[in-house]
Amino acid sequence: MKASTPTAFGEALRARRRDLRLTQDTLAGVVGVNRRVVSELERGKGTVRLEIALELAQALGLDVDLRPRS
């Protein structure tokens, strides 16, 4: 999935979390953040620190692939 906006990134995280049958609370606990942080990121709120966004993606088994546009 291409995630070129905070909303698309959040939707991808939410979809993967649900595929894995994890709650926001469980995912937040794995990364060591508050559930609210997971909720805000999934809703596309752009104020979540990049470090946390990347840790959440990693915890869900997702790669963030940066490459030049075709």
Side-chain angles (χ1 to χ4, degrees), residues 27-44:
L27 179 57
V30 168
V31 177
V33 297
N34 188 293
R35 183 204 57 79
R36 180 183 52 80
V37 173
V38 175
S39 174
E40 288 177 357
L41 186 60
E42 288 185 356
R43 288 183 285 125

Side-chain angles (χ1 to χ4, degrees), residues 15-64:
R16 178 66 174 162
R17 177 181 59 77
R18 288 180 174 170
D19 286 347
L20 295 173
R21 299 177 186 261
L22 296 173
T23 65
Q24 288 181 339
D25 283 322
T26 301
L27 179 57
V30 168
V31 177
V33 297
N34 188 293
R35 183 204 57 79
R36 180 183 52 80
V37 173
V38 175
S39 174
E40 288 177 357
L41 186 60
E42 288 185 356
R43 288 183 285 125
K45 190 166 183 180
T47 57
V48 175
R49 287 188 2 228
L50 178 59
E51 176 184 9
I52 293 171
L54 293 173
E55 286 178 13
L56 288 168
Q58 183 178 10
L60 291 169
L62 296 172
D63 291 325
V64 177

